Amino acid sequence: MENILRYYLMPHPPLIIPSVGKGQERAIQNTIDACNQVGEEISNSKPETIVLITPHGTMFSDALAISNEEHIRGDFSQFKDFDTYIEGRIDKEFNEELINTCNVENIPAAGIDSDILRKFNREYKLDHGAMIPMYFINKYYKDYKIVHVTYAALSDIELYKFGMAIRKSAENLNKKIVIIASGDLSHRLSEDGPYEYSPEGSKFDKLLLDNLEKGDVLSVFNMDKYMVECAGECGLRSVFIMLGAMEGEEVKGKLLSYEGPFGVGYGVMAFNNELKGQSNLQELINMKKELYNKKISSNNLYVKLARESLNHYYTYGHFMAKPGELPKELSKEKGGVFVSLKKFGNLRGCIGTFLPTTDSVAEEIIKNSVEAAIHDPRFPRVTENELLDIDISVDILSRPHKSTKEELDPKKYGVIVMQGHKKGLLLPDLEGVDTVDYQLQIACEKANINPLEEYEIERFKVTRYKEGE
């Protein structure tokens, strides 16, 4: 008999809890009904353990976090409900097997407890991404332990392999489990939603749910990165892990409900668990390599040079020399250059110079691409394994000119603020930076300048080159 009894995609809107929603939950009655259906189905299945994959626990950039004390508890006080709480018993036997399996398979995962989280000023507790599915399960069934996993900023293949490790652990222990991928879909479905509206939001929701219903795993992993980034979702990585646990099965989803009245997509889906000996892992690896090769082959010269610089540094341990055959604007001209590294749409490193520090733009790119990878103090050093998942952009800065506040435009101009030896720079056209006041506020914070005091302003323009464009 199959060890994984059922799989579900479930949303986690806090207002679905009546004591939080205070009547607003009636606008997502279909979602409530579908979540109750999931609770009843799980009760009928009677699993020993429920694996909850959530985006809202304490997240680490370099490892999946597995809550690892005997018990765990959480409440909804952050949503002004001080009475409702959820608690669960941790399946430490499963945790131990899962962590050991991850160690063998080279998957970065770690057990976390109160002592570890205290070092990061975090609490050991259940998050709402786990509590809301548990709220509906507990209505019908309570005789289970949990494995509470917070996903990390790992590659999609690593997340898929972690799902495979969950499956292998269940088989090794001969334990009956249910897997729940907790995640809301796009947070940008409407103008009155919690985040800025994007037309890509509804496209993402429809495409993801359609692909899951059809069982088209490769298409789930191959969705347009721009669309995914614009959608502002928090469920895709949970889905990657769940699909990894389905390795060897014919994947078919059944959509129980989909709603988005508050500008956020809430999808509830159940999946089959019919073993077919169907493997997707190698196809996913091959697809990823093909997409990477296609991306770098279509790069413009600026980004191509940054990519070559990174590859050279990680291969040989030193900066590459400036190539001999480059156009004049790269080899002869000087300029400030910023190199930004993004991973899955999230900033992974950014270092730059607003005035030239070398003899050419090319040398500036070579230097700053490596600096962004290894010396941005906000992030751990980029590892060589991450390079496949890194997207690069190169900004060439015009020479700064003195400016007044009235002459600024955060979409068109970058800004430099100066007060004595203090300087702060902010590039133009950054997501969420829509006003001059906010642009100056961030620049002043970076320079440790009191924005209420007098300071000088300079503005500059940027020519931005992105990977694959």
Side-chain angles (χ1 to χ4, degrees):
M1 184 178 174
E2 181 62 37
N3 290 101
I4 304 180
L5 304 175
R6 291 180 180 274
Y7 306 87
Y8 295 98
L9 169 66
M10 294 185 74
H12 48 246
L15 56 75
I16 205 171
I17 309 297
S19 51
V20 175
K22 300 185 186 305
Q24 292 185 80
E25 71 275 7
R26 288 192 287 269
I28 51 171
Q29 189 60 49
N30 289 342
T31 302
I32 293 171
D33 293 343
C35 289
N36 279 316
Q37 180 181 336
V38 170
E40 289 188 84
E41 289 183 3
I42 289 175
S43 176
N44 293 332
S45 299
K46 294 183 170 45
E48 300 166 71
T49 298
I50 297 177
V51 179
L52 288 152
I53 306 157
T54 173
H56 293 302
T58 299
M59 187 181 297
F60 295 96
S61 63
D62 56 350
L64 294 125
I66 303 170
S67 299
N68 201 30
E69 292 186 6
E70 294 291 342
H71 295 86
I72 192 164
R73 186 183 191 275
D75 59 49
F76 293 93
S77 57
Q78 70 180 106
F79 307 108
K80 297 182 169 38
D81 174 4
F82 299 97
D83 298 318
T84 307
Y85 65 91
I86 305 287
E87 57 187 352
R89 297 170 296 148
I90 297 292
D91 190 338
K92 293 197 73 175
E93 179 190 34
F94 197 100
N95 281 0
E96 182 180 357
E97 182 68 29
L98 179 57
I99 292 168
N100 287 340
T101 301
C102 288
N103 287 337
V104 170
E105 300 294 336
N106 253 352
I107 302 165
I112 59 169
D113 56 25
S114 300
D115 291 338
I116 291 173
L117 291 177
R118 202 173 292 119
K119 296 175 183 176
F120 298 94
N121 296 316
R122 295 288 188 271
E123 289 183 71
Y124 176 85
K125 63 179 182 178
L126 281 175
D127 60 288
H128 70 277
M131 287 192 292
I132 288 162
M134 290 177 71
Y135 173 84
F136 287 97
I137 296 165
N138 290 352
K139 283 185 179 183
Y140 305 94
Y141 183 65
K142 293 184 178 180
D143 190 20
Y144 66 92
K145 291 184 177 181
I146 66 169
V147 173
H148 177 251
V149 176
T150 304
Y151 64 58
L154 304 179
S155 74
D156 48 8
I157 300 295
E158 285 175 305
L159 295 174
Y160 189 89
K161 287 181 176 179
F162 180 73
M164 293 173 62
I166 293 173
R167 181 183 197 91
K168 186 173 182 180
S169 299
E171 291 170 351
N172 289 346
L173 295 172
N174 193 26
K175 189 162 282 196
K176 308 307 177 190
I177 73 169
V178 164
I179 295 178
I180 294 176
S182 176
D184 293 336
L185 303 182
S186 173
H187 290 60
R188 294 175 173 169
L189 296 181
S190 64
E191 297 286 357
D192 57 355
Y195 298 94
E196 184 180 359
Y197 167 75
S198 171
E200 302 298 321
S202 58
K203 293 179 188 176
F204 168 82
D205 285 7
K206 184 177 188 310
L207 188 59
L208 175 62
L209 295 174
D210 284 351
N211 286 333
L212 290 174
E213 279 196 292
K214 291 184 294 186
D216 190 346
V217 174
L218 295 183
S219 291
V220 171
F221 281 79
N222 194 29
M223 289 196 294
D224 180 75
K225 285 187 176 182
Y226 174 78
M227 177 186 66
V228 173
E229 184 176 349
C230 290
E233 52 73 39
C234 70
L236 189 57
R237 290 178 192 166
S238 295
V239 168
F240 287 163
I241 294 172
M242 179 180 65
L243 290 174
M246 294 181 188
E247 171 75 1
E249 296 187 11
E250 181 185 7
V251 178
K252 291 284 175 159
K254 180 182 179 183
L255 187 63
L256 304 182
S257 75
Y258 173 75
E259 297 178 293
F262 305 114
V264 180
Y266 305 131
V268 185
M269 185 172 278
F271 295 83
N272 71 295
N273 57 333
E274 186 176 353
L275 198 60
K276 291 287 187 179
Q278 224 168 283
S279 175
N280 290 300
L281 178 61
Q282 194 55 51
E283 286 186 76
L284 287 171
I285 292 171
N286 293 340
M287 181 183 73
K288 186 167 186 174
K289 287 179 180 177
E290 184 180 332
L291 289 171
Y292 174 77
N293 291 333
K294 183 178 178 182
K295 177 175 70 175
I296 62 174
S297 67
S298 62
N299 278 345
N300 56 75
L301 287 174
Y302 294 82
V303 175
K304 187 176 182 181
L305 183 60
R307 174 68 69 178
E308 289 175 353
S309 172
L310 284 171
N311 288 340
H312 185 278
Y313 184 85
Y314 279 89
T315 302
Y316 300 106
H318 59 79
F319 289 99
M320 66 181 284
K322 182 177 73 173
E325 296 182 5
L326 288 173
K328 179 183 175 183
E329 59 267 25
L330 276 166
S331 63
K332 301 296 183 184
E333 294 180 7
K334 297 182 180 182
V337 170
F338 270 74
V339 177
S340 299
L341 311 178
K342 282 192 169 185
K343 184 178 177 183
F344 316 128
N346 300 313
L347 188 65
R348 187 64 180 84
C350 179
I351 292 287
T353 46
F354 66 90
L355 291 173
T357 60
T358 64
D359 292 333
S360 68
V361 168
E363 290 166 279
E364 214 78 27
I365 292 172
I366 290 168
K367 173 188 170 189
N368 290 344
S369 59
V370 174
E371 293 292 325
I374 66 174
H375 284 147
D376 188 328
R378 298 168 295 179
F379 304 99
R381 177 188 175 116
V382 171
T383 66
E384 187 172 4
N385 289 337
E386 290 181 273
L387 293 181
L388 274 173
D389 297 304
I390 294 289
D391 291 310
I392 303 171
S393 64
V394 175
D395 290 341
I396 309 299
L397 280 59
S398 68
R399 185 166 288 276
H401 295 284
K402 285 191 175 181
S403 175
T404 64
K405 179 178 175 180
E406 291 69 31
E407 294 173 319
L408 297 178
D409 179 341
K411 293 295 181 186
K412 186 177 181 182
Y413 298 109
V415 66
I416 301 169
V417 295
M418 295 172 289
Q419 185 187 74
H421 67 280
K422 299 177 181 177
K423 286 186 179 182
L425 179 147
L426 200 67
L427 296 171
D429 196 22
L430 298 177
E431 183 180 0
V433 183
D434 301 318
T435 67
V436 169
D437 285 337
Y438 190 38
Q439 184 186 41
L440 289 172
Q441 176 190 328
I442 297 173
C444 285
E445 286 174 0
K446 293 177 75 173
N448 198 24
I449 294 173
N450 184 342
L452 300 178
E453 297 177 355
E454 287 192 12
Y455 55 87
E456 296 180 60
I457 299 173
E458 292 184 341
R459 71 179 190 183
F460 58 90
K461 284 188 174 181
V462 159
T463 304
R464 181 165 293 164
Y465 299 94
K466 292 185 177 181
E467 199 150 41
E469 295 182 359

